[in-house]
């Protein structure tokens, strides 16, 4: 079975990618993911705020004259902060690249086109096979226009593209007036990959304790439908590689994304739920599904259930609903 594939020009042994998560926060975690058989690993994200903090510390250090004032050393982040700071990130990245034989992709998470994005060069120098930009932007100010939000994505991408030569992917959210046009604009601005989609932490209100609470919840399989729909619409219409992210629990979820047109399929929740070894279940299960269906290579599977290229205009909008209706009509619930 030919599982090997290409993602943004990187050669992968299979299309399953471990998306950014705490599983890749240690060298041991990275090794476990590689040993379980993933095709590539996206390291957890380095946050814009962490970089700002380090820049502020460096500035204070410079102001204080680090060489002449030994007490200035106290401005350095303490051990706990250092463990999750930019220096620790680059160190882990270097060690991860040396330790595993699959591509390691570094991840930057932020919302402004500021100087922090130049940090992508340090990631490239540390051996990152590519950079993934997680643009985690929820415009809380109701005066922010949709065009401004979109432009921010383009500006961040442009800054990073100007700084590095490795491929750059943008991980974006699904909340745009026209997600398709946003994808096309990012594609035109030089994105090598589009990761669909980011999953936003949504705080909740607990009426019992009269407080806002926020906790990370793992995804469910049904959440894959939205990214799968967009991937089926964008397949063949963008030059950028398409990475599916959200709702992969079983091998058939991986197959579904490939059929829709994904170049690679990412997973986090399932690996957190069942452990990194679940990656082998997904890869072996994909292989078994392909054999059962008579496919011999991932290339043969990819995009065969995407929206046809000659579909245009309103037909595009109807396409996913028409097939959904068709499926519902032939289901056990009968016509309606
Ligand atoms: C605990 C946890 C931590 C995560 N940390 C990151 C992160 O650092 N950077 C990032 O881009 N995505 C992060 N994600 C999002 C995942 O990479 C992924 O996009 C999302 O969980 C949807 O995929 P899934 O349904 O397979 O979980 C995190 C998700 C979880 C559950």
């Amino acid at each position: 079975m030919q599982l090997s594939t290409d993602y943004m020009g990187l050669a992968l042994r299979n299309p399953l990618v471990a998306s950014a998560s705490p599983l890749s926060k240690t060298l041991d975690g990275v090794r476990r993911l590689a040993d379980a058989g993933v095709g590539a690993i996206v390291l957890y994200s380095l946050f814009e705020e962490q970089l700002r903090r380090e820049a502020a510390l460096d500035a204070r250090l410079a102001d204080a004259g680090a060489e002449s004032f030994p007490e200035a050393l106290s401005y350095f982040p303490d051990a706990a902060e250092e463990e999750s700071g930019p220096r620790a990130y680059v160190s882990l990245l270097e060690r991860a690249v040396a330790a595993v034989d699959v591509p390691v992709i570094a991840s930057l998470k932020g919302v402004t086109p500021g100087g922090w994005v130049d940090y992508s060069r340090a990631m490239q120098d540390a051996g990152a096979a590519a950079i993934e930009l997680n643009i985690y932007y929820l415009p809380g100010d109701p005066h922010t226009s949709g065009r401004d939000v979109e432009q921010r994505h383009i500006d961040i991408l442009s800054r990073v593209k100007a700084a590095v030569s490795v491929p750059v992917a943008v991980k974006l959210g699904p909340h745009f007036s026209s997600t398709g046009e946003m994808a096309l604009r990012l594609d035109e601005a030089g994105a090598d990959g589009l990761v669909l989609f980011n999953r936003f932490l949504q705080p909740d209100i607990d009426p019992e304790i009269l407080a806002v609470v926020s906790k990370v919840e793992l995804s469910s399989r049904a959440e894959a439908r939205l990214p799968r729909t967009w991937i089926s619409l964008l397949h063949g219409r963008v030059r950028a590689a398409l990475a599916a992210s959200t709702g992969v629990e079983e091998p058939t979820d991986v197959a579904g994304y490939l059929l829709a047109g994904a170049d690679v399929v990412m997973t986090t929740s399932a690996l957190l739920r069942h452990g990194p070894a679940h990656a082998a279940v997904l890869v072996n299960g994909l292989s078994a599904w392909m054999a059962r269906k008579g496919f011999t290579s991932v290339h043969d599977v990819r995009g065969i259930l995407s929206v046809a290229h000659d579909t245009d205009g309103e037909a595009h909008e109807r396409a996913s609903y028409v097939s959904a209706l068709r499926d519902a009509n032939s289901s056990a619930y009968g016509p309606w």
Side-chain angles (χ1 to χ4, degrees), residues 52-283:
R52 283 193 197 292
R53 203 157 52 227
E54 183 174 83
L57 285 162
D58 285 350
R60 277 157 56 196
L61 201 55
D63 285 351
E67 271 136 35
S68 46
F69 298 102
E71 65 271 25
L73 288 175
S74 63
Y75 287 119
F76 276 118
D78 62 24
E81 195 173 356
E82 181 63 5
E83 266 169 35
S84 61
R87 292 181 185 116
Y89 193 94
V90 167
S91 160
L92 174 65
L93 178 58
E94 271 170 355
R95 286 176 290 133
V97 169
V100 297
D101 56 3
V102 297
V104 179
I105 298 170
S107 168
L108 268 174
K109 180 172 176 177
V111 296
T112 67
W116 64 278
V117 293
D118 296 337
Y119 210 80
S120 50
R121 203 175 301 121
M123 293 174 158
Q124 171 177 279
D125 294 346
I131 311 282
E132 186 176 289
L133 288 172
N134 177 342
I135 305 179
Y136 195 94
Y137 185 43
L138 280 176
D141 178 354
H143 298 103
T144 310
S145 76
R147 217 53 181 168
D148 284 349
V149 175
E150 292 162 13
Q151 193 56 44
R152 222 175 238 254
H153 283 67
I154 302 294
D155 291 346
I156 293 174
L157 170 65
S158 305
R159 282 289 286 266
V160 174
K161 281 294 288 182
V164 298
S165 55
V166 292
V168 179
V170 178
K171 187 174 188 178
L172 64 160
H175 308 299
F176 294 96
S177 299
S178 179
T179 303
E181 200 228 11
M182 184 73 249
L184 293 183
R185 287 186 70 196
L186 288 165
D187 189 45
E188 278 161 23
D192 300 282
L194 296 173
V195 183
L196 310 175
F197 287 114
N198 237 343
R199 205 163 158 262
F200 292 104
L201 242 189
Q202 295 168 349
D204 204 356
I205 285 176
D206 185 335
E208 277 313 313
I209 57 170
L210 304 181
V212 175
V213 288
S214 117
K215 64 174 186 234
V216 178
E217 276 176 17
L218 301 180
S219 66
S220 67
R221 296 181 72 199
E223 290 176 60
R225 291 178 195 166
L226 183 65
R228 197 139 52 220
T229 301
W230 278 111
I231 285 169
S232 71
L233 281 160
L234 290 170
H235 173 74
R237 292 179 177 82
V238 285
R239 188 198 43 85
L242 295 172
S245 174
T246 300
V248 168
E249 175 70 18
E250 297 181 11
T252 47
D253 301 323
V254 182
Y257 269 131
L258 292 173
L259 288 165
D263 290 281
V264 291
V265 181
M266 298 186 163
T267 176
T268 280
S269 291
L271 302 185
L272 286 169
R273 213 176 262 131
H274 309 293
H278 189 65
V281 174
L282 294 174
V283 173

